[in-house]
Amino acid sequence: MQYAKDSFYMALRDRLAVVNSQRTIEISGVQRPAVVVVENECAGTTEYFGETFLIDWRQAEQVEENGPTAMRCVITFRTSGTEERCGLDRGRTLATLQEELLAITKLNSTAKQDFEGDEPVDLETRIYWTEPKFGEIEAKSSWLECKASVRVYCFPEEK
């Protein structure tokens, strides 16, 4: 399942770089598209990332016997608005983030790849996912936050 998780992340990251090349985040001195997998970062650090798509993997389940595995992930994004508008544009900024998430998930499949080596290796299967289902927008302190749920489907690799 790790290959499917990595492939999903890489697809969203690369697509965000095309949809909005200005939406970036700097982590450990490296600037990259603002898509982050929570389980890959130090505990507690991602709660401070604004205007970033945070992928949090949840339970996996077998859809049917000999069928694909389904993994649910929750993608959280939040904003405090822009400094120029003193945060009064939080709603507009959150709507832009929602539009970007829809854009980067619209083509709902990608090749499953192994990213462990220097170059990605095509595993000759694909992963698929559902359209994001948005939850309620929550006001938290100075942030507006939204969560979207996505189910990712894959067949496990033979070992």
Side-chain angles (χ1 to χ4, degrees):
M1 289 188 293
Q2 190 61 49
Y3 298 135
K5 289 179 178 183
D6 293 346
S7 297
F8 181 74
Y9 159 72
M10 294 297 282
L12 268 54
R13 186 197 71 170
D14 292 349
R15 291 173 184 185
L16 182 60
V18 172
V19 168
N20 183 352
S21 62
Q22 300 302 305
R23 180 132 359 257
T24 60
I25 188 167
E26 186 174 315
I27 300 175
S28 301
V30 177
Q31 192 160 355
R32 63 186 199 202
V35 178
V36 173
V37 179
V38 173
E39 67 189 41
N40 295 345
E41 302 301 327
C42 293
T45 59
T46 59
E47 61 193 58
Y48 301 106
F49 293 161
E51 299 185 23
T52 299
F53 297 104
L54 303 170
I55 299 173
D56 191 8
W57 291 101
R58 304 297 170 91
Q59 73 274 7
E61 60 189 52
Q62 192 72 33
V63 176
E64 59 187 57
E65 190 175 334
N66 298 323
T69 299
M71 295 179 289
R72 189 168 72 89
C73 73
V74 174
I75 302 172
T76 304
F77 49 99
R78 58 181 72 104
T79 184
S80 57
T82 62
E83 289 181 32
E84 299 83 36
R85 304 272 310 179
C86 300
L88 297 176
D89 57 353
R90 295 182 306 164
R92 289 180 186 273
T93 305
L94 195 70
T96 299
L97 286 160
Q98 287 175 319
E99 290 170 5
E100 288 175 5
L101 181 59
L102 287 171
I104 65 177
T105 58
K106 184 173 183 161
L107 297 174
N108 68 338
S109 76
T110 192
K112 186 168 27 167
Q113 297 182 312
D114 176 353
F115 293 95
E116 291 180 311
D118 293 336
E119 294 292 322
V121 175
D122 189 351
L123 298 175
E124 300 181 7
T125 60
R126 297 188 70 76
I127 63 167
Y128 300 88
W129 55 86
T130 61
E131 186 175 296
K133 292 184 180 173
F134 293 99
E136 294 295 318
I137 295 171
E138 294 184 44
K140 296 187 173 205
S141 182
S142 63
W143 301 93
L144 284 183
E145 179 178 282
C146 186
K147 296 178 187 242
S149 181
V150 175
R151 286 176 57 93
V152 178
Y153 297 90
C154 68
F155 284 94
E157 295 302 313
E158 301 280 329
K159 291 282 181 176

PDB file of all heavy atoms in Angstrom, residues 19-37:
ATOM      1  N   VAL A  19      -1.010  23.646 -11.486  1.00  0.00           N
ATOM      2  CA  VAL A  19      -2.227  24.433 -11.235  1.00  0.00           C
ATOM      3  C   VAL A  19      -1.901  25.781 -10.591  1.00  0.00           C
ATOM      4  O   VAL A  19      -2.452  26.812 -10.967  1.00  0.00           O
ATOM      5  CB  VAL A  19      -3.215  23.632 -10.352  1.00  0.00           C
ATOM      6  CG1 VAL A  19      -4.349  24.500  -9.837  1.00  0.00           C
ATOM      7  CG2 VAL A  19      -3.766  22.452 -11.141  1.00  0.00           C
ATOM      8  N   ASN A  20      -0.992  25.780  -9.612  1.00  0.00           N
ATOM      9  CA  ASN A  20      -0.596  27.018  -8.937  1.00  0.00           C
ATOM     10  C   ASN A  20       0.850  26.886  -8.475  1.00  0.00           C
ATOM     11  O   ASN A  20       1.115  26.432  -7.355  1.00  0.00           O
ATOM     12  CB  ASN A  20      -1.513  27.323  -7.748  1.00  0.00           C
ATOM     13  CG  ASN A  20      -1.160  28.632  -7.075  1.00  0.00           C
ATOM     14  OD1 ASN A  20      -0.145  29.258  -7.376  1.00  0.00           O
ATOM     15  ND2 ASN A  20      -1.996  29.060  -6.137  1.00  0.00           N
ATOM     16  N   SER A  21       1.758  27.298  -9.334  1.00  0.00           N
ATOM     17  CA  SER A  21       3.188  27.165  -9.031  1.00  0.00           C
ATOM     18  C   SER A  21       3.615  28.037  -7.849  1.00  0.00           C
ATOM     19  O   SER A  21       4.683  27.816  -7.273  1.00  0.00           O
ATOM     20  CB  SER A  21       4.032  27.492 -10.258  1.00  0.00           C
ATOM     21  OG  SER A  21       3.807  28.841 -10.649  1.00  0.00           O
ATOM     22  N   GLN A  22       2.777  28.995  -7.461  1.00  0.00           N
ATOM     23  CA  GLN A  22       3.098  29.864  -6.327  1.00  0.00           C
ATOM     24  C   GLN A  22       2.714  29.242  -4.988  1.00  0.00           C
ATOM     25  O   GLN A  22       3.159  29.719  -3.944  1.00  0.00           O
ATOM     26  CB  GLN A  22       2.388  31.212  -6.490  1.00  0.00           C
ATOM     27  CG  GLN A  22       2.772  31.950  -7.754  1.00  0.00           C
ATOM     28  CD  GLN A  22       4.262  32.217  -7.826  1.00  0.00           C
ATOM     29  OE1 GLN A  22       4.838  32.806  -6.908  1.00  0.00           O
ATOM     30  NE2 GLN A  22       4.898  31.770  -8.889  1.00  0.00           N
ATOM     31  N   ARG A  23       1.895  28.189  -5.011  1.00  0.00           N
ATOM     32  CA  ARG A  23       1.483  27.555  -3.758  1.00  0.00           C
ATOM     33  C   ARG A  23       2.579  26.576  -3.337  1.00  0.00           C
ATOM     34  O   ARG A  23       2.607  25.431  -3.735  1.00  0.00           O
ATOM     35  CB  ARG A  23       0.140  26.848  -3.910  1.00  0.00           C
ATOM     36  CG  ARG A  23      -0.257  26.216  -2.612  1.00  0.00           C
ATOM     37  CD  ARG A  23      -1.626  26.396  -2.064  1.00  0.00           C
ATOM     38  NE  ARG A  23      -2.610  27.185  -2.717  1.00  0.00           N
ATOM     39  CZ  ARG A  23      -2.958  28.422  -2.330  1.00  0.00           C
ATOM     40  NH1 ARG A  23      -2.360  29.010  -1.306  1.00  0.00           N
ATOM     41  NH2 ARG A  23      -3.914  29.075  -2.963  1.00  0.00           N
ATOM     42  N   THR A  24       3.501  27.071  -2.542  1.00  0.00           N
ATOM     43  CA  THR A  24       4.651  26.274  -2.102  1.00  0.00           C
ATOM     44  C   THR A  24       4.792  26.369  -0.593  1.00  0.00           C
ATOM     45  O   THR A  24       4.188  27.226   0.058  1.00  0.00           O
ATOM     46  CB  THR A  24       5.951  26.744  -2.765  1.00  0.00           C
ATOM     47  OG1 THR A  24       6.179  28.114  -2.424  1.00  0.00           O
ATOM     48  CG2 THR A  24       5.909  26.585  -4.282  1.00  0.00           C
ATOM     49  N   ILE A  25       5.618  25.482  -0.082  1.00  0.00           N
ATOM     50  CA  ILE A  25       5.941  25.469   1.343  1.00  0.00           C
ATOM     51  C   ILE A  25       7.422  25.157   1.470  1.00  0.00           C
ATOM     52  O   ILE A  25       7.983  24.438   0.646  1.00  0.00           O
ATOM     53  CB  ILE A  25       5.078  24.440   2.111  1.00  0.00           C
ATOM     54  CG1 ILE A  25       5.299  24.576   3.609  1.00  0.00           C
ATOM     55  CG2 ILE A  25       5.328  23.035   1.617  1.00  0.00           C
ATOM     56  CD1 ILE A  25       4.268  23.833   4.433  1.00  0.00           C
ATOM     57  N   GLU A  26       8.048  25.712   2.500  1.00  0.00           N
ATOM     58  CA  GLU A  26       9.456  25.424   2.753  1.00  0.00           C
ATOM     59  C   GLU A  26       9.559  24.543   3.992  1.00  0.00           C
ATOM     60  O   GLU A  26       9.060  24.898   5.059  1.00  0.00           O
ATOM     61  CB  GLU A  26      10.251  26.709   2.959  1.00  0.00           C
ATOM     62  CG  GLU A  26      11.735  26.453   3.082  1.00  0.00           C
ATOM     63  CD  GLU A  26      12.551  27.725   3.141  1.00  0.00           C
ATOM     64  OE1 GLU A  26      12.293  28.633   2.332  1.00  0.00           O
ATOM     65  OE2 GLU A  26      13.435  27.803   4.020  1.00  0.00           O
ATOM     66  N   ILE A  27      10.190  23.389   3.813  1.00  0.00           N
ATOM     67  CA  ILE A  27      10.417  22.466   4.918  1.00  0.00           C
ATOM     68  C   ILE A  27      11.897  22.087   4.902  1.00  0.00           C
ATOM     69  O   ILE A  27      12.408  21.655   3.872  1.00  0.00           O
ATOM     70  CB  ILE A  27       9.537  21.203   4.810  1.00  0.00           C
ATOM     71  CG1 ILE A  27       8.053  21.581   4.831  1.00  0.00           C
ATOM     72  CG2 ILE A  27       9.853  20.219   5.933  1.00  0.00           C
ATOM     73  CD1 ILE A  27       7.113  20.428   4.620  1.00  0.00           C
ATOM     74  N   SER A  28      12.550  22.280   6.016  1.00  0.00           N
ATOM     75  CA  SER A  28      13.979  21.975   6.149  1.00  0.00           C
ATOM     76  C   SER A  28      14.800  22.645   5.054  1.00  0.00           C
ATOM     77  O   SER A  28      15.710  22.054   4.488  1.00  0.00           O
ATOM     78  CB  SER A  28      14.208  20.462   6.133  1.00  0.00           C
ATOM     79  OG  SER A  28      13.515  19.846   7.179  1.00  0.00           O
ATOM     80  N   GLY A  29      14.456  23.885   4.746  1.00  0.00           N
ATOM     81  CA  GLY A  29      15.207  24.657   3.770  1.00  0.00           C
ATOM     82  C   GLY A  29      14.920  24.316   2.315  1.00  0.00           C
ATOM     83  O   GLY A  29      15.541  24.870   1.416  1.00  0.00           O
ATOM     84  N   VAL A  30      13.979  23.419   2.069  1.00  0.00           N
ATOM     85  CA  VAL A  30      13.638  23.028   0.695  1.00  0.00           C
ATOM     86  C   VAL A  30      12.236  23.529   0.366  1.00  0.00           C
ATOM     87  O   VAL A  30      11.285  23.242   1.093  1.00  0.00           O
ATOM     88  CB  VAL A  30      13.701  21.485   0.528  1.00  0.00           C
ATOM     89  CG1 VAL A  30      13.288  21.074  -0.873  1.00  0.00           C
ATOM     90  CG2 VAL A  30      15.087  20.973   0.857  1.00  0.00           C
ATOM     91  N   GLN A  31      12.139  24.287  -0.727  1.00  0.00           N
ATOM     92  CA  GLN A  31      10.836  24.774  -1.157  1.00  0.00           C
ATOM     93  C   GLN A  31      10.246  23.771  -2.141  1.00  0.00           C
ATOM     94  O   GLN A  31      10.921  23.300  -3.054  1.00  0.00           O
ATOM     95  CB  GLN A  31      10.965  26.136  -1.814  1.00  0.00           C
ATOM     96  CG  GLN A  31       9.640  26.799  -2.015  1.00  0.00           C
ATOM     97  CD  GLN A  31       9.775  28.293  -2.192  1.00  0.00           C
ATOM     98  OE1 GLN A  31      10.844  28.852  -2.079  1.00  0.00           O
ATOM     99  NE2 GLN A  31       8.673  28.946  -2.479  1.00  0.00           N
ATOM    100  N   ARG A  32       8.953  23.447  -1.936  1.00  0.00           N
ATOM    101  CA  ARG A  32       8.281  22.465  -2.783  1.00  0.00           C
ATOM    102  C   ARG A  32       6.795  22.779  -2.837  1.00  0.00           C
ATOM    103  O   ARG A  32       6.309  23.597  -2.045  1.00  0.00           O
ATOM    104  CB  ARG A  32       8.523  21.057  -2.247  1.00  0.00           C
ATOM    105  CG  ARG A  32       7.948  20.835  -0.867  1.00  0.00           C
ATOM    106  CD  ARG A  32       8.325  19.491  -0.320  1.00  0.00           C
ATOM    107  NE  ARG A  32       7.431  19.136   0.760  1.00  0.00           N
ATOM    108  CZ  ARG A  32       7.713  18.260   1.692  1.00  0.00           C
ATOM    109  NH1 ARG A  32       8.855  17.613   1.669  1.00  0.00           N
ATOM    110  NH2 ARG A  32       6.860  17.988   2.638  1.00  0.00           N
ATOM    111  N   PRO A  33       6.060  22.137  -3.756  1.00  0.00           N
ATOM    112  CA  PRO A  33       4.606  22.357  -3.788  1.00  0.00           C
ATOM    113  C   PRO A  33       3.996  22.034  -2.420  1.00  0.00           C
ATOM    114  O   PRO A  33       4.445  21.125  -1.724  1.00  0.00           O
ATOM    115  CB  PRO A  33       4.126  21.380  -4.865  1.00  0.00           C
ATOM    116  CG  PRO A  33       5.312  21.220  -5.768  1.00  0.00           C
ATOM    117  CD  PRO A  33       6.505  21.256  -4.840  1.00  0.00           C
ATOM    118  N   ALA A  34       2.955  22.768  -2.068  1.00  0.00           N
ATOM    119  CA  ALA A  34       2.366  22.709  -0.727  1.00  0.00           C
ATOM    120  C   ALA A  34       1.411  21.527  -0.557  1.00  0.00           C
ATOM    121  O   ALA A  34       0.223  21.690  -0.281  1.00  0.00           O
ATOM    122  CB  ALA A  34       1.679  24.027  -0.402  1.00  0.00           C
ATOM    123  N   VAL A  35       1.953  20.322  -0.709  1.00  0.00           N
ATOM    124  CA  VAL A  35       1.246  19.078  -0.417  1.00  0.00           C
ATOM    125  C   VAL A  35       2.146  18.299   0.525  1.00  0.00           C
ATOM    126  O   VAL A  35       3.324  18.075   0.213  1.00  0.00           O
ATOM    127  CB  VAL A  35       0.970  18.251  -1.696  1.00  0.00           C
ATOM    128  CG1 VAL A  35       0.275  16.945  -1.353  1.00  0.00           C
ATOM    129  CG2 VAL A  35       0.145  19.053  -2.695  1.00  0.00           C
ATOM    130  N   VAL A  36       1.618  17.905   1.680  1.00  0.00           N
ATOM    131  CA  VAL A  36       2.424  17.264   2.720  1.00  0.00           C
ATOM    132  C   VAL A  36       1.690  16.027   3.228  1.00  0.00           C
ATOM    133  O   VAL A  36       0.488  16.080   3.466  1.00  0.00           O
ATOM    134  CB  VAL A  36       2.674  18.246   3.895  1.00  0.00           C
ATOM    135  CG1 VAL A  36       3.356  17.559   5.060  1.00  0.00           C
ATOM    136  CG2 VAL A  36       3.483  19.449   3.430  1.00  0.00           C
ATOM    137  N   VAL A  37       2.423  14.930   3.393  1.00  0.00           N
ATOM    138  CA  VAL A  37       1.861  13.729   4.009  1.00  0.00           C
ATOM    139  C   VAL A  37       2.179  13.795   5.498  1.00  0.00           C
ATOM    140  O   VAL A  37       3.348  13.809   5.887  1.00  0.00           O
ATOM    141  CB  VAL A  37       2.441  12.446   3.372  1.00  0.00           C
ATOM    142  CG1 VAL A  37       1.858  11.211   4.045  1.00  0.00           C
ATOM    143  CG2 VAL A  37       2.173  12.423   1.874  1.00  0.00           C
TER     144      VAL A  37
END
